[in-house]
PDB file of all heavy atoms in Angstrom:
ATOM      1  N   LYS A 408       0.834  -1.197   0.000  1.00  0.00           N
ATOM      2  CA  LYS A 408       0.000   0.000   0.000  1.00  0.00           C
ATOM      3  C   LYS A 408       0.870   1.250   0.000  1.00  0.00           C
ATOM      4  O   LYS A 408       0.569   2.224  -0.712  1.00  0.00           O
ATOM      5  CB  LYS A 408      -0.915  -0.008   1.223  1.00  0.00           C
ATOM      6  CG  LYS A 408      -1.925   1.143   1.250  1.00  0.00           C
ATOM      7  CD  LYS A 408      -2.907   1.033   0.105  1.00  0.00           C
ATOM      8  CE  LYS A 408      -3.998   2.086   0.196  1.00  0.00           C
ATOM      9  NZ  LYS A 408      -4.936   2.013  -0.949  1.00  0.00           N
ATOM     10  N   ALA A 409       1.936   1.248   0.783  1.00  0.00           N
ATOM     11  CA  ALA A 409       2.840   2.401   0.821  1.00  0.00           C
ATOM     12  C   ALA A 409       3.470   2.645  -0.543  1.00  0.00           C
ATOM     13  O   ALA A 409       3.576   3.797  -0.992  1.00  0.00           O
ATOM     14  CB  ALA A 409       3.919   2.182   1.876  1.00  0.00           C
ATOM     15  N   ILE A 410       3.876   1.578  -1.215  1.00  0.00           N
ATOM     16  CA  ILE A 410       4.496   1.723  -2.540  1.00  0.00           C
ATOM     17  C   ILE A 410       3.491   2.277  -3.539  1.00  0.00           C
ATOM     18  O   ILE A 410       3.801   3.187  -4.319  1.00  0.00           O
ATOM     19  CB  ILE A 410       5.047   0.364  -3.013  1.00  0.00           C
ATOM     20  CG1 ILE A 410       6.247  -0.042  -2.152  1.00  0.00           C
ATOM     21  CG2 ILE A 410       5.453   0.426  -4.489  1.00  0.00           C
ATOM     22  CD1 ILE A 410       6.672  -1.475  -2.336  1.00  0.00           C
ATOM     23  N   ASP A 411       2.269   1.752  -3.513  1.00  0.00           N
ATOM     24  CA  ASP A 411       1.244   2.232  -4.436  1.00  0.00           C
ATOM     25  C   ASP A 411       0.940   3.711  -4.193  1.00  0.00           C
ATOM     26  O   ASP A 411       0.774   4.490  -5.139  1.00  0.00           O
ATOM     27  CB  ASP A 411      -0.028   1.400  -4.293  1.00  0.00           C
ATOM     28  CG  ASP A 411       0.127  -0.002  -4.840  1.00  0.00           C
ATOM     29  OD1 ASP A 411       1.098  -0.246  -5.596  1.00  0.00           O
ATOM     30  OD2 ASP A 411      -0.695  -0.868  -4.514  1.00  0.00           O
ATOM     31  N   LEU A 412       0.857   4.108  -2.925  1.00  0.00           N
ATOM     32  CA  LEU A 412       0.575   5.504  -2.603  1.00  0.00           C
ATOM     33  C   LEU A 412       1.749   6.412  -2.941  1.00  0.00           C
ATOM     34  O   LEU A 412       1.563   7.560  -3.346  1.00  0.00           O
ATOM     35  CB  LEU A 412       0.215   5.636  -1.119  1.00  0.00           C
ATOM     36  CG  LEU A 412      -1.157   5.081  -0.727  1.00  0.00           C
ATOM     37  CD1 LEU A 412      -1.305   5.033   0.793  1.00  0.00           C
ATOM     38  CD2 LEU A 412      -2.283   5.918  -1.340  1.00  0.00           C
ATOM     39  N   ASP A 413       2.965   5.888  -2.805  1.00  0.00           N
ATOM     40  CA  ASP A 413       4.145   6.662  -3.190  1.00  0.00           C
ATOM     41  C   ASP A 413       4.114   6.946  -4.693  1.00  0.00           C
ATOM     42  O   ASP A 413       4.355   8.078  -5.135  1.00  0.00           O
ATOM     43  CB  ASP A 413       5.409   5.899  -2.811  1.00  0.00           C
ATOM     44  CG  ASP A 413       6.679   6.650  -3.199  1.00  0.00           C
ATOM     45  OD1 ASP A 413       6.860   7.783  -2.716  1.00  0.00           O
ATOM     46  OD2 ASP A 413       7.476   6.117  -3.981  1.00  0.00           O
ATOM     47  N   ASN A 414       3.818   5.927  -5.478  1.00  0.00           N
ATOM     48  CA  ASN A 414       3.712   6.127  -6.928  1.00  0.00           C
ATOM     49  C   ASN A 414       2.593   7.101  -7.270  1.00  0.00           C
ATOM     50  O   ASN A 414       2.739   7.963  -8.148  1.00  0.00           O
ATOM     51  CB  ASN A 414       3.477   4.789  -7.631  1.00  0.00           C
ATOM     52  CG  ASN A 414       4.729   3.934  -7.686  1.00  0.00           C
ATOM     53  OD1 ASN A 414       5.837   4.448  -7.635  1.00  0.00           O
ATOM     54  ND2 ASN A 414       4.551   2.631  -7.776  1.00  0.00           N
ATOM     55  N   GLN A 415       1.469   6.975  -6.560  1.00  0.00           N
ATOM     56  CA  GLN A 415       0.349   7.884  -6.783  1.00  0.00           C
ATOM     57  C   GLN A 415       0.741   9.322  -6.445  1.00  0.00           C
ATOM     58  O   GLN A 415       0.371  10.264  -7.152  1.00  0.00           O
ATOM     59  CB  GLN A 415      -0.851   7.446  -5.932  1.00  0.00           C
ATOM     60  CG  GLN A 415      -2.118   8.238  -6.195  1.00  0.00           C
ATOM     61  CD  GLN A 415      -3.276   7.767  -5.338  1.00  0.00           C
ATOM     62  OE1 GLN A 415      -3.287   6.655  -4.814  1.00  0.00           O
ATOM     63  NE2 GLN A 415      -4.272   8.618  -5.166  1.00  0.00           N
ATOM     64  N   TRP A 416       1.508   9.498  -5.372  1.00  0.00           N
ATOM     65  CA  TRP A 416       1.956  10.838  -4.970  1.00  0.00           C
ATOM     66  C   TRP A 416       2.808  11.469  -6.075  1.00  0.00           C
ATOM     67  O   TRP A 416       2.620  12.621  -6.438  1.00  0.00           O
ATOM     68  CB  TRP A 416       2.744  10.750  -3.669  1.00  0.00           C
ATOM     69  CG  TRP A 416       3.114  12.080  -3.088  1.00  0.00           C
ATOM     70  CD1 TRP A 416       2.399  12.821  -2.200  1.00  0.00           C
ATOM     71  CD2 TRP A 416       4.311  12.839  -3.363  1.00  0.00           C
ATOM     72  NE1 TRP A 416       3.057  13.992  -1.909  1.00  0.00           N
ATOM     73  CE2 TRP A 416       4.229  14.023  -2.605  1.00  0.00           C
ATOM     74  CE3 TRP A 416       5.425  12.620  -4.171  1.00  0.00           C
ATOM     75  CZ2 TRP A 416       5.238  15.008  -2.633  1.00  0.00           C
ATOM     76  CZ3 TRP A 416       6.425  13.593  -4.213  1.00  0.00           C
ATOM     77  CH2 TRP A 416       6.327  14.760  -3.452  1.00  0.00           C
ATOM     78  N   HIS A 417       3.750  10.688  -6.594  1.00  0.00           N
ATOM     79  CA  HIS A 417       4.636  11.225  -7.626  1.00  0.00           C
ATOM     80  C   HIS A 417       3.872  11.585  -8.895  1.00  0.00           C
ATOM     81  O   HIS A 417       4.124  12.634  -9.513  1.00  0.00           O
ATOM     82  CB  HIS A 417       5.752  10.234  -7.930  1.00  0.00           C
ATOM     83  CG  HIS A 417       6.852  10.243  -6.919  1.00  0.00           C
ATOM     84  ND1 HIS A 417       7.920  11.113  -6.971  1.00  0.00           N
ATOM     85  CD2 HIS A 417       7.036   9.499  -5.796  1.00  0.00           C
ATOM     86  CE1 HIS A 417       8.710  10.907  -5.937  1.00  0.00           C
ATOM     87  NE2 HIS A 417       8.204   9.927  -5.211  1.00  0.00           N
ATOM     88  N   LEU A 418       2.928  10.741  -9.300  1.00  0.00           N
ATOM     89  CA  LEU A 418       2.146  11.055 -10.496  1.00  0.00           C
ATOM     90  C   LEU A 418       1.239  12.256 -10.264  1.00  0.00           C
ATOM     91  O   LEU A 418       1.041  13.071 -11.171  1.00  0.00           O
ATOM     92  CB  LEU A 418       1.329   9.832 -10.918  1.00  0.00           C
ATOM     93  CG  LEU A 418       2.138   8.663 -11.497  1.00  0.00           C
ATOM     94  CD1 LEU A 418       1.241   7.456 -11.731  1.00  0.00           C
ATOM     95  CD2 LEU A 418       2.837   9.072 -12.795  1.00  0.00           C
ATOM     96  N   SER A 419       0.694  12.389  -9.054  1.00  0.00           N
ATOM     97  CA  SER A 419      -0.144  13.543  -8.734  1.00  0.00           C
ATOM     98  C   SER A 419       0.683  14.824  -8.733  1.00  0.00           C
ATOM     99  O   SER A 419       0.211  15.886  -9.160  1.00  0.00           O
ATOM    100  CB  SER A 419      -0.813  13.355  -7.368  1.00  0.00           C
ATOM    101  OG  SER A 419      -1.697  12.254  -7.384  1.00  0.00           O
ATOM    102  N   LEU A 420       1.914  14.730  -8.260  1.00  0.00           N
ATOM    103  CA  LEU A 420       2.810  15.879  -8.265  1.00  0.00           C
ATOM    104  C   LEU A 420       3.050  16.390  -9.684  1.00  0.00           C
ATOM    105  O   LEU A 420       3.197  17.600  -9.908  1.00  0.00           O
ATOM    106  CB  LEU A 420       4.144  15.491  -7.613  1.00  0.00           C
ATOM    107  CG  LEU A 420       5.240  16.568  -7.547  1.00  0.00           C
ATOM    108  CD1 LEU A 420       4.833  17.686  -6.581  1.00  0.00           C
ATOM    109  CD2 LEU A 420       6.569  15.943  -7.116  1.00  0.00           C
ATOM    110  N   LEU A 421       3.059  15.473 -10.642  1.00  0.00           N
ATOM    111  CA  LEU A 421       3.407  15.814 -12.018  1.00  0.00           C
ATOM    112  C   LEU A 421       2.198  15.944 -12.940  1.00  0.00           C
ATOM    113  O   LEU A 421       2.360  16.124 -14.148  1.00  0.00           O
ATOM    114  CB  LEU A 421       4.351  14.745 -12.591  1.00  0.00           C
ATOM    115  CG  LEU A 421       5.604  14.433 -11.761  1.00  0.00           C
ATOM    116  CD1 LEU A 421       6.384  13.293 -12.408  1.00  0.00           C
ATOM    117  CD2 LEU A 421       6.472  15.667 -11.600  1.00  0.00           C
ATOM    118  N   GLU A 422       0.993  15.897 -12.385  1.00  0.00           N
ATOM    119  CA  GLU A 422      -0.192  15.803 -13.238  1.00  0.00           C
ATOM    120  C   GLU A 422      -0.425  17.046 -14.098  1.00  0.00           C
ATOM    121  O   GLU A 422      -1.120  16.974 -15.118  1.00  0.00           O
ATOM    122  CB  GLU A 422      -1.435  15.501 -12.399  1.00  0.00           C
ATOM    123  CG  GLU A 422      -1.847  16.600 -11.452  1.00  0.00           C
ATOM    124  CD  GLU A 422      -3.060  16.203 -10.621  1.00  0.00           C
ATOM    125  OE1 GLU A 422      -3.551  15.064 -10.809  1.00  0.00           O
ATOM    126  OE2 GLU A 422      -3.508  17.017  -9.799  1.00  0.00           O
ATOM    127  N   GLN A 423       0.155  18.185 -13.719  1.00  0.00           N
ATOM    128  CA  GLN A 423      -0.008  19.393 -14.522  1.00  0.00           C
ATOM    129  C   GLN A 423       1.059  19.531 -15.602  1.00  0.00           C
ATOM    130  O   GLN A 423       1.079  20.526 -16.336  1.00  0.00           O
ATOM    131  CB  GLN A 423       0.016  20.623 -13.610  1.00  0.00           C
ATOM    132  CG  GLN A 423      -1.125  20.686 -12.605  1.00  0.00           C
ATOM    133  CD  GLN A 423      -2.489  20.668 -13.275  1.00  0.00           C
ATOM    134  OE1 GLN A 423      -2.703  21.379 -14.252  1.00  0.00           O
ATOM    135  NE2 GLN A 423      -3.399  19.851 -12.769  1.00  0.00           N
ATOM    136  N   CYS A 424       1.935  18.538 -15.709  1.00  0.00           N
ATOM    137  CA  CYS A 424       2.973  18.591 -16.750  1.00  0.00           C
ATOM    138  C   CYS A 424       2.304  18.551 -18.123  1.00  0.00           C
ATOM    139  O   CYS A 424       1.510  17.647 -18.399  1.00  0.00           O
ATOM    140  CB  CYS A 424       3.937  17.418 -16.598  1.00  0.00           C
ATOM    141  SG  CYS A 424       5.180  17.333 -17.921  1.00  0.00           S
ATOM    142  N   PRO A 425       2.599  19.505 -18.998  1.00  0.00           N
ATOM    143  CA  PRO A 425       1.936  19.543 -20.303  1.00  0.00           C
ATOM    144  C   PRO A 425       2.439  18.485 -21.288  1.00  0.00           C
ATOM    145  O   PRO A 425       1.824  18.286 -22.335  1.00  0.00           O
ATOM    146  CB  PRO A 425       2.257  20.955 -20.812  1.00  0.00           C
ATOM    147  CG  PRO A 425       3.569  21.297 -20.158  1.00  0.00           C
ATOM    148  CD  PRO A 425       3.516  20.649 -18.807  1.00  0.00           C
ATOM    149  N   ASN A 426       3.539  17.817 -20.955  1.00  0.00           N
ATOM    150  CA  ASN A 426       4.106  16.805 -21.856  1.00  0.00           C
ATOM    151  C   ASN A 426       3.619  15.426 -21.422  1.00  0.00           C
ATOM    152  O   ASN A 426       4.199  14.792 -20.543  1.00  0.00           O
ATOM    153  CB  ASN A 426       5.634  16.873 -21.833  1.00  0.00           C
ATOM    154  CG  ASN A 426       6.274  16.026 -22.927  1.00  0.00           C
ATOM    155  OD1 ASN A 426       5.778  14.962 -23.270  1.00  0.00           O
ATOM    156  ND2 ASN A 426       7.378  16.512 -23.476  1.00  0.00           N
ATOM    157  N   SER A 427       2.547  14.969 -22.050  1.00  0.00           N
ATOM    158  CA  SER A 427       1.942  13.694 -21.646  1.00  0.00           C
ATOM    159  C   SER A 427       2.855  12.513 -21.960  1.00  0.00           C
ATOM    160  O   SER A 427       2.816  11.492 -21.259  1.00  0.00           O
ATOM    161  CB  SER A 427       0.588  13.507 -22.333  1.00  0.00           C
ATOM    162  OG  SER A 427       0.729  13.508 -23.749  1.00  0.00           O
ATOM    163  N   ILE A 428       3.671  12.616 -22.994  1.00  0.00           N
ATOM    164  CA  ILE A 428       4.589  11.525 -23.325  1.00  0.00           C
ATOM    165  C   ILE A 428       5.627  11.359 -22.220  1.00  0.00           C
ATOM    166  O   ILE A 428       5.978  10.235 -21.840  1.00  0.00           O
ATOM    167  CB  ILE A 428       5.273  11.790 -24.680  1.00  0.00           C
ATOM    168  CG1 ILE A 428       4.227  11.760 -25.804  1.00  0.00           C
ATOM    169  CG2 ILE A 428       6.369  10.763 -24.956  1.00  0.00           C
ATOM    170  CD1 ILE A 428       4.775  12.108 -27.169  1.00  0.00           C
ATOM    171  N   LEU A 429       6.114  12.458 -21.679  1.00  0.00           N
ATOM    172  CA  LEU A 429       7.069  12.405 -20.582  1.00  0.00           C
ATOM    173  C   LEU A 429       6.453  11.733 -19.368  1.00  0.00           C
ATOM    174  O   LEU A 429       7.077  10.864 -18.736  1.00  0.00           O
ATOM    175  CB  LEU A 429       7.538  13.816 -20.237  1.00  0.00           C
ATOM    176  CG  LEU A 429       8.458  13.972 -19.013  1.00  0.00           C
ATOM    177  CD1 LEU A 429       9.697  13.107 -19.146  1.00  0.00           C
ATOM    178  CD2 LEU A 429       8.827  15.437 -18.823  1.00  0.00           C
ATOM    179  N   VAL A 430       5.224  12.091 -19.028  1.00  0.00           N
ATOM    180  CA  VAL A 430       4.558  11.494 -17.869  1.00  0.00           C
ATOM    181  C   VAL A 430       4.286  10.012 -18.111  1.00  0.00           C
ATOM    182  O   VAL A 430       4.445   9.183 -17.205  1.00  0.00           O
ATOM    183  CB  VAL A 430       3.250  12.242 -17.545  1.00  0.00           C
ATOM    184  CG1 VAL A 430       2.502  11.561 -16.401  1.00  0.00           C
ATOM    185  CG2 VAL A 430       3.547  13.694 -17.173  1.00  0.00           C
ATOM    186  N   ASP A 431       3.897   9.649 -19.324  1.00  0.00           N
ATOM    187  CA  ASP A 431       3.677   8.232 -19.642  1.00  0.00           C
ATOM    188  C   ASP A 431       4.970   7.428 -19.506  1.00  0.00           C
ATOM    189  O   ASP A 431       4.950   6.277 -19.057  1.00  0.00           O
ATOM    190  CB  ASP A 431       3.128   8.080 -21.063  1.00  0.00           C
ATOM    191  CG  ASP A 431       1.657   8.457 -21.165  1.00  0.00           C
ATOM    192  OD1 ASP A 431       0.998   8.554 -20.112  1.00  0.00           O
ATOM    193  OD2 ASP A 431       1.176   8.669 -22.298  1.00  0.00           O
ATOM    194  N   LEU A 432       6.080   8.033 -19.893  1.00  0.00           N
ATOM    195  CA  LEU A 432       7.371   7.364 -19.758  1.00  0.00           C
ATOM    196  C   LEU A 432       7.703   7.136 -18.287  1.00  0.00           C
ATOM    197  O   LEU A 432       8.162   6.041 -17.905  1.00  0.00           O
ATOM    198  CB  LEU A 432       8.461   8.187 -20.429  1.00  0.00           C
ATOM    199  CG  LEU A 432       9.890   7.617 -20.398  1.00  0.00           C
ATOM    200  CD1 LEU A 432       9.925   6.224 -21.007  1.00  0.00           C
ATOM    201  CD2 LEU A 432      10.849   8.543 -21.132  1.00  0.00           C
ATOM    202  N   ILE A 433       7.450   8.124 -17.456  1.00  0.00           N
ATOM    203  CA  ILE A 433       7.678   7.973 -16.012  1.00  0.00           C
ATOM    204  C   ILE A 433       6.780   6.885 -15.448  1.00  0.00           C
ATOM    205  O   ILE A 433       7.215   6.048 -14.651  1.00  0.00           O
ATOM    206  CB  ILE A 433       7.434   9.317 -15.307  1.00  0.00           C
ATOM    207  CG1 ILE A 433       8.522  10.323 -15.688  1.00  0.00           C
ATOM    208  CG2 ILE A 433       7.390   9.133 -13.784  1.00  0.00           C
ATOM    209  CD1 ILE A 433       8.247  11.737 -15.243  1.00  0.00           C
ATOM    210  N   ARG A 434       5.526   6.861 -15.884  1.00  0.00           N
ATOM    211  CA  ARG A 434       4.587   5.841 -15.405  1.00  0.00           C
ATOM    212  C   ARG A 434       5.073   4.438 -15.795  1.00  0.00           C
ATOM    213  O   ARG A 434       4.994   3.499 -15.005  1.00  0.00           O
ATOM    214  CB  ARG A 434       3.196   6.116 -15.973  1.00  0.00           C
ATOM    215  CG  ARG A 434       2.115   5.179 -15.428  1.00  0.00           C
ATOM    216  CD  ARG A 434       0.764   5.488 -16.020  1.00  0.00           C
ATOM    217  NE  ARG A 434       0.227   6.745 -15.508  1.00  0.00           N
ATOM    218  CZ  ARG A 434       0.121   7.869 -16.226  1.00  0.00           C
ATOM    219  NH1 ARG A 434       0.537   7.899 -17.491  1.00  0.00           N
ATOM    220  NH2 ARG A 434      -0.399   8.956 -15.695  1.00  0.00           N
ATOM    221  N   ASN A 435       5.580   4.300 -17.012  1.00  0.00           N
ATOM    222  CA  ASN A 435       6.098   3.010 -17.472  1.00  0.00           C
ATOM    223  C   ASN A 435       7.300   2.576 -16.640  1.00  0.00           C
ATOM    224  O   ASN A 435       7.419   1.396 -16.269  1.00  0.00           O
ATOM    225  CB  ASN A 435       6.475   3.105 -18.952  1.00  0.00           C
ATOM    226  CG  ASN A 435       7.086   1.829 -19.486  1.00  0.00           C
ATOM    227  OD1 ASN A 435       8.302   1.660 -19.486  1.00  0.00           O
ATOM    228  ND2 ASN A 435       6.249   0.907 -19.936  1.00  0.00           N
TER     229      ASN A 435
END
């Protein structure tokens, strides 16, 4: 649960990034 929430925190931090390809790469 901690790992999942950590990943969620990082993606939420970056959700306003206008480069969706960059965010998808981080998610991968």
Side-chain angles (χ1 to χ4, degrees):
K408 185 65 174 178
I410 291 168
D411 289 344
L412 288 170
D413 180 59
N414 286 335
Q415 186 180 340
W416 187 91
H417 281 274
L418 289 174
S419 296
L420 179 68
L421 307 176
E422 66 182 0
Q423 297 302 315
C424 176
N426 190 325
S427 60
I428 294 176
L429 175 56
V430 176
D431 284 345
L432 181 56
I433 291 170
R434 185 180 289 109
N435 177 267

